Amino acid sequence: MAAVVGGYVAGQPKVSELMVWGARAQIITGLILVGMASAIDSIGKEPDNAKVAVKLVIAILVAAFAEMGRADAKRGNDIAWMTHAAGGLAIVNVLVAVLWT
């Protein structure tokens, strides 16, 4: 998350490579953590599947906008709304994690 949001703040109006790799890592590590939380019985509770699904959809959108924005930036087309969409959705994902109880 820090790579995506930090890359968003530092790299405007372009999508940086840091944002792309951060978005990829966010999906992979999130799936690993949810899988581990589901598999470990000693925790005593299951993850909220609705929250996990919402966060996964948002993370996939962040990765998609970051990938498309980076590809356009490499071709010389700086599309600012893709940068804002990826960064804004990453912030929304943080808010979902923190505020959803």
Side-chain angles (χ1 to χ4, degrees):
M1 184 279 306
V4 179
V5 175
Y8 169 62
V9 172
Q12 288 186 26
K14 294 182 180 182
V15 175
S16 65
E17 197 70 30
L18 180 66
M19 286 180 69
V20 174
W21 282 103
R24 292 172 183 166
Q26 193 173 24
I27 292 171
I28 292 169
T29 57
L31 290 173
I32 290 170
L33 288 171
V34 169
M36 287 173 49
S38 296
I40 298 173
D41 290 331
S42 65
I43 295 175
K45 60 181 181 178
E46 290 291 317
D48 184 358
N49 289 330
K51 180 179 178 180
V52 169
V54 168
K55 285 185 57 60
L56 179 61
V57 168
I58 293 172
I60 290 172
L61 288 172
V62 169
F65 284 127
E67 293 279 354
M68 291 185 296
R70 184 66 186 156
D72 285 340
K74 283 184 178 179
R75 283 187 233 119
N77 301 332
D78 294 329
I79 302 175
W81 72 266
M82 282 196 193
T83 307
H84 296 305
L89 284 171
I91 294 169
V92 167
N93 216 1
V94 171
L95 293 175
V96 168
V98 171
L99 299 176
W100 187 322
T101 56

